[in-house]
Amino acid sequence: MFNLKAEFYLKIIFLFSFIALISAFFIEYVLGHQPCNLCLIERIPYVLSMMIIMAIFLIKKNQKFLVLLLILVFIFSFAISLYHFGIEQNFFQESSVCGVKSLTESVTKEDLLKQLSEKTISCKDVTFRIFGLSLTSINIVISILFIITLLKIFKEYEKNK
């Protein structure tokens, strides 16, 4: 079992992930800023982290593995955010992920023509900023902080075993 300090940090990460998701939905549905496809993908690690942290507290087994999984989730978050930031800063070209509406449906030529006539949200266009920073750049910083925190928790777990 983790000590109180590790439990506290996991609860903070859970709470922050929850607030980040609620904020993203608020920005999208209340403020009307439409996210690009990479912005939607950047939400996935927050959902996964909440599920993994709930598993850590409810199952109370394989905690070392679950913390390691959390570290990998936020490494993925960091990588996606860094790539998205590179697109925003014109370091990279937009990938096909940025223009695709849905990969799960079969597409007819009428659907393609309809998608071409609709305005798609570009991954390089920043429509919402906080303190002059895009949400992607904020996500990079958060991912790094979470990775560092989780590595400390993982080391602490190793030390106590």
Side-chain angles (χ1 to χ4, degrees):
M1 186 68 184
F2 290 118
N3 68 21
L4 293 177
K5 189 175 180 181
E7 287 183 22
F8 172 76
Y9 286 127
L10 288 172
K11 288 176 183 176
I12 293 295
I13 291 171
F14 181 90
L15 181 64
F16 192 86
S17 295
F18 181 75
I19 291 170
L21 286 171
I22 296 299
S23 299
F25 289 123
F26 179 81
I27 291 166
E28 180 178 355
Y29 293 109
V30 176
L31 299 181
H33 293 273
Q34 291 302 310
C36 69
N37 288 343
L38 282 176
C39 290
L40 295 174
I41 291 170
E42 287 179 62
R43 295 177 186 178
I44 294 171
Y46 292 110
V47 173
L48 291 175
S49 71
M50 290 172 56
M51 291 172 24
I52 293 168
I53 292 171
M54 282 193 296
I56 288 171
F57 286 116
L58 296 176
I59 298 171
K60 299 187 184 205
K61 291 183 180 176
N62 299 323
Q63 292 175 331
K64 179 180 169 184
F65 171 75
L66 292 173
V67 170
L68 190 58
L69 191 58
L70 263 176
I71 292 168
L72 292 174
V73 164
F74 283 107
I75 288 172
F76 170 78
S77 176
F78 173 76
I80 292 296
S81 298
L82 193 63
Y83 175 66
H84 191 182
F85 183 76
I87 290 173
E88 287 177 358
Q89 301 300 315
N90 292 318
F91 297 140
F92 309 120
Q93 292 278 18
E94 278 187 289
S95 70
S96 60
V97 172
C98 295
V100 176
K101 286 283 187 184
S102 175
L103 295 173
T104 59
E105 302 170 6
S106 61
V107 180
T108 64
K109 67 178 178 177
E110 289 81 19
D111 292 334
L112 286 174
L113 289 172
K114 183 179 175 187
Q115 281 186 16
L116 289 172
S117 67
E118 295 174 358
K119 185 181 186 306
T120 58
I121 306 300
S122 172
C123 291
K124 62 181 167 185
D125 294 336
V126 179
T127 62
F128 190 83
R129 293 181 184 273
I130 299 175
F131 304 118
L133 299 171
S134 71
L135 295 178
T136 299
S137 57
I138 293 170
N139 200 34
I140 290 171
V141 173
I142 291 167
S143 295
I144 291 171
L145 291 175
F146 284 176
I147 290 167
I148 292 168
T149 303
L150 290 165
L151 283 170
K152 287 181 181 181
I153 291 172
F154 186 78
K155 285 180 183 178
E156 181 179 307
Y157 184 80
E158 284 290 309
K159 187 170 53 173
N160 293 335
K161 274 292 178 178

